[in-house]
Structures are given as structure tokens and as C-alpha cells.
Amino acid sequence: MSSTQSHRLPTTRHGRAGAWFRRFRQVPGTEDLSRFTPLVEDAVRRRDELRELTDGDVSELAESITAPDPHDAASLVEFLAVASEVARRHLELEPFEVQLLAAAAMLHGRVADMATGEGKTLVGYLVAAGNALSGSRVHVLSANDYLARRDAASGAPFFTAFGLRAAAVSDDMPAEDRQAAYAADITYATAHQVGFDILRDRQRTADDPRLVPELDVAVVDELDAVLIDDAMVPLVLAGDAGTDDSDLALAAAVAELRAGTDYEVDPERRNASFTDAGIIALERRLGIEDLYDEEHTELLTAANVALHAEALVKRDVQYVVEDGRVQLVSDARGRVVERQRWPDGLHSAIERKEGVAVTAQAEVLDQVLVETVVRRYRSMTGMSGTALEAAERLSEDLQLRTGVVATNRPNVRVDEPDQLYATTEQRDAAAVARVAQAHLAGEPVLVGTRSISDSERFAELLSEQGIEARVLNAKNHAQEAEVIAAAGQAGAVTVSTQMAGRGVDIRLGKGVADTGGLLVIGLSRYDSSRLDGQLRGRAGRQGDPGRSVFYTSIEDEVVTDHLEIGHQPRAVRADGKITDRRFAKLYEHAQRVAEGKVLQLHRTTRQYHKVTDQHRASLLDTRERVLDDDAALLKYLEAIYKSKPELATYWSDPDRRDLARATVLYHLDRAWTDHLGMLTEVREGIHLRALARESPLDEFNLIAGRNFGKLGARTSREVRRTLKELRKSGGGLEDLGLRRPSSTWTYLITDNPFGSEADRLADFFGRVLRGGRAREVEHH
Ligand code: ADP
Ligand code: MG
């Protein structure tokens, strides 16, 4: 806002203030940020004074700020004013008042809901600097590696003026560079990178540097993407464990089965299960007697996994095949996610289904959920264009309060009501007609689709009408920047998956503002209204004109997955448009159900990780002490050599200490890897028969607890045995064949495409029990 305009800050978003106010009042976990307005006004006045100063004076002022205290008004005002002036001089960006307001709120630990294109990056600079100057170590968690690098680099002149150093961590960096980046005052990285490095630290030996210092303050960009959409993604550190040699015969046998007769897919397409006929067909093809026999448990599990791969996981929806590799596509972002794979053999099953080389099976050394990483920060704040929609969850799960920041210029985008049709075909026809109409008028159009195949299909439909669209999806992400840059030009038609979502800025071409700006058309809504909001946000940035509208149908997955429609629509036009008012809230309803399911899924996932996390923490505590502290090592040795204290003395001798330490670490890590492997097997159902039927979670925890209880004693035994052999041989661990993994790598395990672990357990039970009963009937 320029100084000629009124200094009074709007406290609601322009344009949709009424609607906003109603929503705002209803959303628990939100807060009115107008109490920061006077502060911002003071800061602007002070900034105007600073404008007269020389560059040298401003630098001096910046360097003199040591510990801005957000709770002391004068201190906060001075910091915001100086930071604002530094940004103007060193970044050539003068923060808008709304940006200062967001920064003030975030320095108070609030989450800022700020629309797309409002300049959240710059707000992040102010907040990061404010925290760093107060002596906190700051991590700015970016949406991807590219943005981390970009933002750290462009913010550097600003940070330097305050005597602060900012650095970025990215995927391809060697350990020393990572360590250096984490040692900076402000570190830009994705939550994934931080998580991976924490995992690496947990495996470190006496020779390795520690990468990540104690987690302090996090400023999370696109906060709800990290804390909700990605929250339950397990980050995995894996070591090589040979290739999976399970046979192709199974995949071939499953591929020949027929849907409906040999297996059934539930209406939500989350689960597929064999029918009796299917089981018999499999047994015949595999030449075995009874697949439900105990000796075939592993085969039965593998068959179920192969069935999932065959029937539920779809090419060009959940994954693409690129360069002979199966690559996962993120549902929320519509883009290929590097280093991501499915767990529990499903990935190999898909590789076999697609006939590509089956990649090495990894042995999971350790894993951590994104949410667990982020929860470890001492304090957290963040910003997003769709934080408001997530406010309630952020408040419940993380005790974060969200406030809405008004846009700098009035948002004049028109969000039209949904156009609901009876069938997908009619929906598409209507959307094509709308694109054609806009195209004729020279308006640029961005069409958002839910999947890669949808984007290609819709581009085909447009092509049949003589409209050539640029397609942007996970298969051609290389051209992303170019396609996006062109998307706002007059006459451009772009069809994109959700990858045109977060962090992307579509600028309007010449004259486009006069023809109404960008038209965003959503083809079916997403499972979450937040993702709908992200797509709409591509239009109408920084006061640009624009429109958004969703074309939907009652055949859309979101609807069919989550609702049973009891009645047929009565009022349907000839072109299939439903005007029946009873269907007006259909989508809201379906999305609420969908969001409820995700919430439930997150709860169960969290529950499944809880006990394991506690076990890990206790093991890591021992590990860290043994690693860093000679006295702790001696204590450990004394404990395992209670009856032979002379051995503890022998091994804690400075000449032998390192070998003893390496031995203890080796066996602790080995034990943990085995423990995790065992838990995976439990989940996969190998131990199904040992589990009671009542509560899979209780049983899971019971088994986990029992196994972990024995882990300490087992490790001591192994350590004693190894040390004995080492003493005899005089060699090192390698000579005994005790090697740490020769190569480690990281990957994410995707959100389970067919339900939470708990769902799957329950489902396996159901299937085994159902199957078991059916067979009894058959045999007797
Ligand atoms: P967001 O992350 O909120 O979508 P960005 O931080 O990517 O937005 O900024 C969008 C664009 O606005 C960038 O080109 C940025 O340089 C510009 N911008 C941000 N703040 C200002 C400002 N105060 N004055 C002028 N341009 C700004
Ligand atoms: Mg951004």
C-alpha cells in the first residue's frame, strides 16, 4: 500500500469480506490479527523517517539490532521499520503493510493465511531475521528444493545487512556442505531434507559429523502442505539388502484374474480382495494346494500385494513409467516425487506388473514421519494461501493459531458457483464449451485436472474442437517454468494437474487484464477444499482480474468415493446440468466425508507410530551417550560384563575403546533395523495368526513391546560375543563380516494408496477370516 493511500489497514480480505467474516467467525483456531495494526502503522511512520538516512546509517542501524522482542511493542516496531528499509534498499522490495502485519503476527507465533502472490517469501525473510537476531537457529521449511535454493539466494543481501548468514540444503549436497548449511543462522530446506538428515544423524558413527543441530524455530512456507498433506509421509533411510527375487509367476497369475469373478474391488477402490474362485484359480496356476495354509502365508501376502498393484494402483494416475522406472505421482501436488516408493513389496509388484527392472529391495534402517520431524521444533510458525481452511486442525494437532491477512490490493477474482452435471461426459462437454468461449474472446484459460490421464484426455477433447492446449503434468515437468510463464498470455490454454498449485506465479500478459484476466477452470473438485482453493488462487493475484469455476459431476470420484447418492436428481437440463437444489451441497458433503477419513487415517497412523517412537527414543538415548561420551561407554560395558568387570576395563582402554564403541553401535543399529523389519512383517500380516482379532493396534503394540523388551539383552549378548571374537582375532568388525550398509539412500514412502496400516490390518483379518471360513465350507 503506498503512503498516499489510507494508513488504516483492512482487517478482512477485500471483495469477499462478508463471506470471509462469516467463515472466520465459525472457524475455531483462528484469531483476528487487527490488534497488530497499530504496531504496523507505527512501523510505517518510523520507516518513513529512516528513508532520509544514508545507506551507511541504515546498515549501522541494522547491525545494532541484537534481540528484537516481539512482545515489546517498541522493539518490534523498530525491527519492522529497519527490516522494511533494508528490504527496500537491498532487495528492491518495500514490504507492503499487509506483509508487515503478517510478519508481526508470525513473530508472535501465529500462522498467516496469505493469498497467492502476496509475497510470502519476503514475509519469511522478516520473520527468519527477527528470530535469528533473537538468537534462535531458524529453519525456513520450503515447499521444494528449488524454492529453498532460490529463496536463500535472493534473501542473502537482506540477511547479510543484519550480519546473518542464510544457506540452503538440497538433495544433492554432500555431508560437509549440509553440515555447513545447518550451521548458518538461517537454513532453507524442505522438511523432507531435515528429516533425512536427522535419520542420517541417528546412524552416525564416531567418524561422522553430526549434521542437524537441535531443532529450534521453524518458519514453514505452504504450511498446510507440509503439516497436513505430507504429515504422515514416512521418510526412510535405507541400506542395500539385495534385489527382490520373488518370482514373476505370481504377478503373471494375478494379471490373468478377472475383476468381478476372481476378485472384487470395493466401491471406494481402496481395497481389492480375492473371491473363492480367484483363490482357486491362483492355486491352480501356482500349483499349490491351499493358499491359506500356514506355509503359504508369505505367498498369500504377496498375492494380495500383487492384486493391489493390479487392480487399485493406476498408471498415469498414481504413477508414471519414465525411463524404465516406476515413479510415483503425488496426489496433492500432481507431480512426480523423486525417491518415493511404495512400501511392503507393492513397489516391486508394480514394477513386475509394468515389466520394468525390479529395483533393489531396501532394508529400512530407520524412518520418521514428516509430522514427527516438525513437532520437534521448539517453536513453529508459517504461512499459506490456504491456512484458514486448515486452522482447526492446526489448532487441535499443533496448538497453532491462524490469522487471515488481507490482500494488498482488493481481490477482485470472481469465484463462480460449481456447474454440476449428471455424467462425466456432460461435465467435460460443458467445460470444453466454456474454454472455447473464453478462448474465442482471447482470455487465457488454465484448466486444472485431478490426474495425468484426465489432463491428457481433456486436451484431446479440446483438440477435437480445434483448440491446442499446452499440457503440464508430471510427465513433462521439465517444461514447467516455460509453460507457466506462457499461461497468462492472451489466448493461451493450459491444462494442468495440481502441479500448477503451490508456489507458482502466473503473470498476466499484455492486455489480458482488460479482457478479464485468467480464467481458471477446475475439472472436478479435489478431495479437499484446500486444494480447490490452491487452484483458484492461480487467478486474481495482486489485484489482477480473474475468474474461477469448477465443472463437476455426480460421477466424480470425490462424490462416488465418499457418498451414496440415495436419490436421482429431478431437475436435469437436456445437456445434463443438474439444477435440483437438493444437490447443491453435494460436493461440500463429499469433501467433508473425505476430510474426515483423512483425519481418521492420520490418527491411526499416529497411533501406530507412537510406541515405536518411544522405543526409538530410548534406544537413541543409549546410542548417543555411548557415541559421544567415554564414561557412558564404560558404564555400558560394565553393565554387560557384570560378572567379569576386568573385561569392561579391558575394552574401555583408550587403545581399544573405539573398537568397542563401534561394536556397540553396530549391534544397537542392527537390533533396531531387525526390530523395524519385524514390525513391518507384523503389519504385512505374516504374523496374522498370532494376532488376536479384537484390536489390531493393541496387538501390534503388544508384539512391538515384547520384542523391544528383549532387544536390550539380545544386543548385550551380541556385543559380548563380537568383542570376544575380536579379542581372539585381533582384527576389526569387517573381518567378522559385520559391515554397515555399503550404501544408504533415502526415500519417502507414499501415503498408503489403500488405507492406513490399521485399515489394512483390519482388512487382512477380514480377508483371512472370510477366506478361512469359506474354505471350511468347501472342504467339509
Ligand atoms: P507467494 O509466495 O505469497 O505466492 P511470492 O513470495 O512468490 O508470493 O511473491 C510473488 C511476487 O511478488 C514475486 O515476484 C515478488 O518479488 C513480488 N513481491 C513480493 N513482495 C513485494 C513487494 N513488497 N513489492 C513488490 N513486489 C513484491
Ligand atoms: Mg510462495
Side-chain angles (χ1 to χ4, degrees):
M1 201 174 288
S2 80
S3 45
T4 52
Q5 276 175 295
S6 151
H7 267 317
R8 198 150 2 104
L9 270 169
T11 54
T12 64
R13 266 189 190 159
H14 302 278
R16 49 186 176 108
W20 172 84
F21 196 65
R22 272 196 308 283
R23 272 201 309 155
F24 174 74
R25 292 256 300 228
Q26 285 163 3
V27 179
T30 54
E31 179 177 303
D32 186 353
L33 299 182
S34 60
R35 69 185 173 98
F36 295 107
T37 306
L39 271 171
V40 170
E41 287 168 354
D42 288 349
V44 168
R45 264 191 296 276
R46 171 75 177 134
R47 173 174 83 185
D48 291 344
E49 289 167 26
L50 300 181
R51 187 154 307 189
E52 315 300 324
L53 302 183
T54 63
D55 282 356
D57 291 341
V58 171
S59 297
E60 222 166 89
L61 260 183
E63 278 163 28
S64 73
I65 294 189
T66 46
D69 178 1
H71 296 282
D72 170 21
S75 165
L76 183 56
V77 165
E78 182 68 8
F79 168 71
L80 291 176
V82 173
S84 186
E85 193 55 17
V86 168
R88 188 177 71 84
R89 293 181 194 225
H90 294 270
L91 300 177
E92 284 160 35
L93 293 174
E94 179 164 68
F96 304 125
E97 290 183 29
V98 285
Q99 287 175 310
L100 294 178
L101 181 93
M106 287 170 67
L107 284 165
H108 276 260
R110 303 296 182 265
V111 171
D113 178 285
M114 280 182 91
T116 311
E118 286 294 300
K120 289 185 281 288
T121 312
L122 178 56
V123 172
Y125 294 159
L126 301 191
V127 176
N131 278 298
L133 288 171
S134 304
S136 298
R137 197 186 295 280
V138 182
H139 287 182
V140 182
L141 301 181
S142 314
N144 59 50
D145 277 2
Y146 161 73
L147 291 175
R149 270 195 306 267
R150 183 197 72 180
D151 293 350
S154 35
F158 174 82
F159 294 125
T160 310
F162 285 99
L164 297 170
R165 189 170 76 86
V169 176
S170 60
D171 200 40
D172 45 8
M173 275 164 81
E176 311 83 70
D177 295 354
R178 285 171 180 273
Q179 200 191 20
Y182 285 114
D185 303 297
I186 297 158
T187 309
Y188 280 79
T190 61
H192 293 169
Q193 290 301 332
V194 176
F196 288 143
D197 286 332
I198 286 176
L199 291 175
R200 291 186 178 108
D201 276 345
R202 286 179 185 171
Q203 298 282 322
R204 102 197 138 96
T205 59
D207 307 324
D208 307 323
R210 173 194 265 285
L211 299 172
V212 194
E214 199 67 34
L215 297 185
D216 197 6
V217 173
V219 179
V220 191
D221 195 6
E222 301 292 355
L223 175 112
D224 53 314
V226 178
L227 288 184
I228 296 182
D229 298 331
D230 276 356
M232 296 300 148
V233 173
L235 308 172
V236 173
L237 184 72
D240 45 358
T243 42
D244 180 9
D245 53 359
S246 60
D247 64 316
L248 294 159
L250 183 63
V254 170
E256 281 175 37
L257 300 181
R258 291 147 305 162
T261 23
D262 295 328
Y263 62 87
E264 285 163 354
V265 176
D266 77 1
E268 296 185 5
R269 279 173 290 98
R270 271 185 177 281
N271 274 303
S273 46
F274 293 113
T275 60
D276 290 342
I279 291 289
I280 293 165
L282 265 188
E283 287 168 349
R284 210 175 36 236
R285 290 206 170 93
L286 299 171
I288 59 171
E289 187 74 12
D290 179 0
L291 195 52
Y292 283 104
D293 192 278
E294 192 125 7
E295 64 167 313
H296 296 310
T297 309
E298 274 186 59
L299 190 59
L300 176 61
T301 306
N304 272 308
V305 171
L307 177 61
H308 278 113
E310 186 63 35
L312 299 178
V313 188
K314 294 205 201 101
R315 182 169 174 164
D316 287 348
V317 179
Q318 282 111 332
Y319 67 94
V320 294
V321 177
E322 208 175 69
D323 310 329
R325 286 188 305 153
V326 168
Q327 297 206 294
L328 270 63
V329 173
S330 148
D331 193 27
R333 299 181 180 184
R335 58 174 76 231
V336 162
V337 235
E338 293 298 326
R339 298 161 181 268
Q340 188 157 345
R341 52 185 287 146
W342 279 296
D344 307 348
L346 179 59
H347 202 85
S348 327
I350 291 167
E351 289 170 332
R352 280 191 286 273
K353 164 183 159 189
E354 292 293 344
V356 302
V358 175
T359 46
Q361 282 283 89
E363 184 175 50
V364 172
L365 302 177
D366 205 359
Q367 66 177 55
V368 67
L369 295 179
V370 169
E371 183 185 77
T372 313
V373 173
V374 185
R375 276 175 188 271
R376 284 183 41 177
Y377 284 92
R378 183 177 58 76
S379 82
M380 196 189 334
T381 176
M383 60 277 196
S384 165
T386 43
L388 181 63
E389 287 84 344
E392 186 169 1
R393 270 206 63 188
L394 294 174
S395 160
E396 275 173 17
D397 290 356
L398 298 144
Q399 286 72 54
L400 289 171
R401 297 182 68 76
T402 302
V404 175
V405 180
T407 53
N408 179 49
R409 300 252 207 85
N411 180 351
V412 296
R413 187 187 67 229
V414 178
D415 295 332
E416 297 177 9
D418 289 6
Q419 304 284 317
L420 180 65
Y421 286 83
T423 67
T424 311
E425 222 170 62
Q426 290 163 335
R427 174 199 78 182
D428 289 352
V432 167
R434 180 67 185 270
V435 174
Q437 183 199 2
H439 186 61
L440 205 66
E443 291 172 46
V445 186
L446 173 71
V447 182
T449 63
R450 286 191 43 125
S451 70
I452 298 169
S453 52
D454 279 354
S455 66
E456 289 173 345
R457 203 178 38 76
F458 193 74
E460 274 290 326
L461 290 179
L462 289 174
S463 179
E464 285 164 16
Q465 300 299 315
I467 302 171
E468 293 313 318
R470 296 288 301 266
V471 178
L472 178 61
N473 61 32
K475 282 159 99 178
N476 63 357
H477 49 97
Q479 290 122 47
E480 178 170 2
E482 183 206 330
V483 174
I484 289 298
Q489 301 300 317
V493 178
T494 313
V495 180
S496 170
T497 53
Q498 179 65 11
M499 71 189 288
R502 299 184 186 264
V504 182
D505 210 18
I506 298 180
R507 289 168 182 260
L508 298 186
K510 237 176 105 180
V512 167
D514 306 327
T515 60
L518 180 69
L519 169 65
V520 168
I521 293 181
L523 220 49
S524 140
R525 280 165 65 174
Y526 294 88
D527 272 6
S528 139
S529 55
R530 278 184 304 109
L531 297 183
D532 295 341
Q534 287 290 338
L535 181 63
R536 287 193 203 278
R538 298 312 111 199
R541 54 174 288 289
Q542 285 287 338
D544 284 347
R547 275 179 180 274
S548 77
V549 58
F550 281 87
Y551 283 79
T552 57
S553 111
I554 54 176
E555 290 179 348
D556 290 349
E557 273 179 30
V558 186
V559 176
T560 55
D561 277 3
H562 305 296
L563 293 183
E564 303 255 1
I565 302 178
H567 41 260
Q568 286 303 308
R570 263 189 235 123
V572 183
R573 282 191 336 213
D575 65 354
K577 171 129 196 235
I578 297 173
T579 49
D580 187 335
R581 293 183 57 83
R582 292 174 306 164
F583 282 74
K585 293 266 177 238
L586 183 75
Y587 241 100
E588 280 74 9
H589 196 109
Q591 285 184 330
R592 256 202 311 282
V593 176
E595 280 164 22
K597 285 182 187 170
V598 170
L599 200 64
Q600 190 51 42
L601 209 123
H602 283 193
R603 284 203 185 111
T604 22
T605 309
R606 214 175 272 143
Q607 285 168 342
Y608 269 90
H609 281 267
K610 199 170 159 194
V611 169
T612 310
D613 283 348
Q614 285 163 358
H615 291 158
R616 174 188 292 105
S618 105
L619 188 114
L620 276 178
D621 185 51
T622 308
R623 191 187 194 284
E624 284 287 295
R625 277 183 290 126
V626 166
L627 177 59
D628 291 330
D629 179 2
D630 291 338
L633 175 66
L634 175 63
K635 230 161 117 193
Y636 185 93
L637 293 169
E638 280 169 354
I640 66 169
Y641 287 126
K642 266 203 207 81
S643 50
K644 293 181 187 154
E646 68 278 10
L647 281 177
T649 315
Y650 174 85
W651 281 110
S652 57
D653 182 276
D655 290 342
R656 290 178 281 263
R657 201 158 58 194
D658 289 347
L659 189 54
R661 172 173 283 129
T663 306
V664 175
L665 294 182
Y666 174 86
H667 283 299
L668 280 176
D669 294 345
R670 188 66 249 165
W672 183 249
T673 300
D674 290 345
H675 181 67
L676 286 180
M678 192 280 301
L679 293 182
T680 305
E681 282 180 13
V682 171
R683 285 197 303 261
E684 280 190 9
I686 287 177
H687 295 301
L688 272 179
R689 285 168 181 80
L691 291 174
R693 293 161 198 192
E694 292 299 312
S695 162
L697 178 64
D698 290 347
E699 285 302 317
F700 177 82
N701 284 339
L702 202 70
I703 294 180
R706 209 184 293 141
N707 194 62
F708 187 77
K710 295 183 203 147
L711 193 141
R714 205 181 306 140
T715 309
S716 311
R717 222 167 30 240
E718 294 294 329
V719 171
R720 277 198 307 264
R721 185 171 40 205
T722 301
L723 289 181
K724 191 171 170 185
E725 285 175 29
L726 287 173
R727 203 173 161 193
K728 230 185 322 180
S729 74
L733 284 171
E734 285 77 15
D735 306 321
L736 301 180
L738 304 183
R739 256 183 219 98
R740 304 186 76 84
S742 58
S743 67
T744 56
W745 65 92
T746 54
Y747 60 84
L748 335 157
I749 301 180
T750 181
D751 254 327
N752 206 311
F754 39 89
S756 68
E757 286 160 358
D759 287 349
R760 292 174 50 222
L761 266 183
D763 182 62
F764 268 114
F765 278 121
R767 224 178 295 148
V768 167
L769 294 177
R770 272 200 308 278
R773 263 200 302 278
R775 296 209 62 90
E776 267 165 37
V777 173
E778 217 181 85
H779 285 300
H780 300 287

